[in-house]
């Protein structure tokens, strides 16, 4: 594979494999990428402690063949005990080439029966996997409308998974969230994007928000960024997120950021960019990833024909968008 240079990015080394990346994330002008600010906690509510919101508390780890030898992708999913849509999730998962997968599953359900179900499912469908269990309380839109807590908790879990638990020797990371069903053809379409366009670091499918109470957010989770820079001796950058991108029936589009519900990313980028939370005023895992990816001169693409189902539950009723 030949090294590929991108605007503002110095040529880097090339690794073997269809999803390898030749990126060196130091711009050619010698100015490093913006350093994330120290992480800030959301204001605490009664009964919520910083320990609950902060580092995952792993109480058990089960694993099989975690060396990932011969595998092509990490399949990463954090679970919050959403039994109502687990069968939908698995219907989508079985559309992936599971013989090529190393599964990295994270159980935050605090439900022993559900944990056993996850382990049994792994044993029946994968020959390489790791299952982690977390005793902290899960924060989901089914249990709270404090979205800041959900966002921060998700960030800490993803940071644990992607910096410590995945196999970094495997060239691709596929993140499918526990309330998402991916359609037929997802693997073929999104891996083709990464193979055909080396400038793309992350490819996603179309996925809508499941925050059913917030009608403006029930659009596809895809955004562009506007940057406003001040003029003066002390440079500051403010980032504003405009209205979500209008959904298209078909086609490929370069975007600023998106969700992680159906997310295909070149593994070497994980350590080079990091899994950050508070960057230039952005305080969400998925938004920070897309923002820093684009800052590094690497693109994110959405394939609008890959329309994932996103499940939720309101007043005991299962919903999907």
């Amino acid at each position: 594979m030949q090294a590929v240079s991108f605007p503002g990015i110095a040529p880097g080394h090339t690794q073997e494999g269809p999803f390898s990346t030749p990126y060196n994330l130091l711009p050619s002008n010698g100015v490093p990428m913006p350093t994330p600010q120290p992480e800030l906690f959301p204001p605490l509510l009664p009964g919520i402690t910083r320990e609950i919101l902060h580092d995952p508390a792993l109480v058990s780890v089960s694993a099989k063949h975690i060396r990932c030898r011969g595998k092509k992708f990490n399949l990463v999913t954090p679970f919050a005990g959403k039994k109502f849509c687990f069968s939908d999730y698995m219907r989508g998962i079985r559309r992936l080439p599971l013989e090529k997968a190393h599964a990295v599953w994270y159980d935050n359900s605090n439900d022993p029966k559900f944990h056993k179900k996850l382990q049994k499912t792994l044993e029946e469908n994968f020959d390489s996997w790791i299952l982690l269990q977390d005793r902290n309380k899960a924060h989901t839109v089914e249990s709270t409308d404090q979205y800041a807590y959900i966002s921060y908790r998700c960030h800490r879990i993803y940071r644990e998974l992607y910096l410590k638990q995945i196999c970094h020797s495997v060239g691709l990371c596929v993140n499918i969230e526990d309330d998402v069903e991916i359609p037929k053809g997802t693997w073929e379409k999104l891996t083709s994007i990464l193979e055909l366009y080396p400038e793309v670091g992350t490819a996603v499918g179309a996925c809508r928000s499941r925050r059913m109470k917030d009608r403006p957010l029930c659009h596809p989770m895809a955004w562009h960024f506007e940057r406003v820079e001040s003029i003066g001796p002390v440079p500051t950058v403010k980032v504003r997120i405009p209205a979500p991108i209008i959904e298209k029936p078909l086609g490929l589009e370069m975007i600023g950021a998106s969700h992680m519900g159906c997310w295909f990313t070149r593994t070497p980028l994980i350590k080079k960019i990091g899994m950050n939370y508070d960057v230039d005023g952005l305080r969400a895992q998925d938004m920070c990833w897309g923002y820093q990816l684009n800052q590094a001169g690497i693109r994110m693409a959405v394939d609008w024909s890959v329309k994932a189902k996103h499940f939720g539950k309101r007043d005991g009723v299962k919903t999907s968008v």
Side-chain angles (χ1 to χ4, degrees):
M1 181 182 292
Q2 294 182 342
V4 180
S5 297
F6 303 102
I9 305 297
H13 67 278
T14 300
Q15 299 183 12
E16 296 299 326
F19 309 111
S20 61
T21 53
Y23 311 123
N24 179 331
L25 300 188
L26 182 66
S28 57
N29 60 8
V31 179
M33 291 173 58
T35 301
Q37 297 297 314
E39 291 188 344
L40 303 176
F41 289 97
L44 299 178
L45 290 178
I48 304 295
T49 67
R50 291 192 173 188
E51 287 72 24
I52 287 176
L53 290 175
H54 202 259
D55 290 314
L58 302 180
V59 296
S60 70
V61 179
S62 303
K64 182 178 181 181
H65 304 316
I66 62 172
R67 292 184 179 179
C68 325
R69 183 171 298 173
K71 299 305 177 183
K72 300 299 183 185
F73 68 101
N74 292 285
L75 173 61
V76 182
T77 301
F79 291 91
K82 299 172 187 176
K83 293 180 283 188
F84 66 89
C85 60
F86 183 71
S87 61
D88 303 287
Y89 164 85
M90 281 305 302
R91 184 164 48 245
I93 291 301
R94 291 189 178 101
R95 293 166 179 155
L96 298 171
L98 300 187
E99 72 281 359
K100 300 178 181 180
H102 169 66
V104 183
W105 285 11
Y106 187 101
D107 179 18
N108 192 200
S109 68
N110 293 293
D111 183 336
K113 290 184 178 179
F114 187 70
H115 185 77
K116 289 181 179 179
K117 184 171 185 173
L118 291 179
Q119 183 157 345
K120 182 180 179 181
T121 303
L122 286 168
E123 291 171 346
E124 292 175 347
N125 292 273
F126 300 90
D127 61 10
S128 179
W129 54 268
I130 182 171
L131 175 61
L132 304 105
Q133 188 176 20
D134 187 336
R135 63 179 170 80
N136 285 326
K137 179 181 178 181
H139 291 276
T140 72
V141 296
E142 286 79 27
S143 61
T144 178
D145 59 1
Q146 298 296 316
Y147 298 144
Y149 296 128
I150 298 171
S151 178
Y152 191 79
R153 181 74 182 125
C154 286
H155 157 66
R156 297 307 303 182
I157 290 173
Y158 276 128
R159 186 177 178 85
E160 169 74 24
L161 287 172
Y162 280 97
L163 297 187
K164 299 180 182 179
Q165 303 297 341
I166 65 167
C167 286
H168 286 274
S169 61
V170 175
L172 179 66
C173 284
V174 174
N175 197 94
I176 308 296
E177 293 185 341
D178 65 340
D179 50 14
V180 169
E181 178 188 344
I182 60 173
K184 294 179 181 179
T186 296
W187 171 264
E188 293 78 8
K189 291 178 180 180
L190 296 188
T191 56
S192 291
I193 293 171
L194 297 174
E195 290 171 350
L196 291 171
Y197 303 103
E199 66 269 31
V200 174
T202 295
V204 300
C207 189
R208 285 173 166 254
S209 169
R210 61 186 170 85
R211 298 177 186 178
M212 301 300 291
K213 291 189 300 182
D214 302 334
R215 300 310 302 176
L217 291 180
C218 288
H219 290 281
M221 292 181 287
W223 299 270
H224 287 306
F225 291 115
E226 295 177 358
R227 287 185 54 171
V228 180
E229 299 189 15
S230 66
I231 299 176
V234 181
T236 60
V237 178
K238 295 181 180 179
V239 178
R240 292 183 295 168
I241 304 172
I245 297 171
I246 297 174
E247 185 174 4
K248 316 300 189 302
L250 295 170
L252 182 66
E253 184 172 357
M254 299 299 179
I255 59 176
S258 188
H259 55 88
M260 292 184 71
C262 174
W263 185 87
F264 286 48
T265 290
R266 303 178 194 271
T267 303
L269 292 174
I270 302 295
K271 284 187 175 180
K272 292 183 177 181
I273 291 180
M275 301 300 275
N276 300 307
Y277 175 73
D278 190 5
V279 182
D280 286 348
L282 295 172
R283 301 180 113 194
Q285 178 72 58
D286 47 7
M287 301 297 282
C288 290
W289 175 263
Y291 179 63
Q292 290 195 286
L293 196 70
N294 278 276
Q295 277 192 313
I298 307 167
R299 308 306 300 273
M300 174 179 279
V302 57
D303 186 332
W304 292 110
S305 71
V306 179
K307 298 187 183 299
K309 290 183 180 179
H310 203 179
F311 294 91
K313 201 170 187 180
R314 293 290 183 188
D315 301 321
V317 178
K318 181 179 175 180
T319 62
S320 66
V321 291

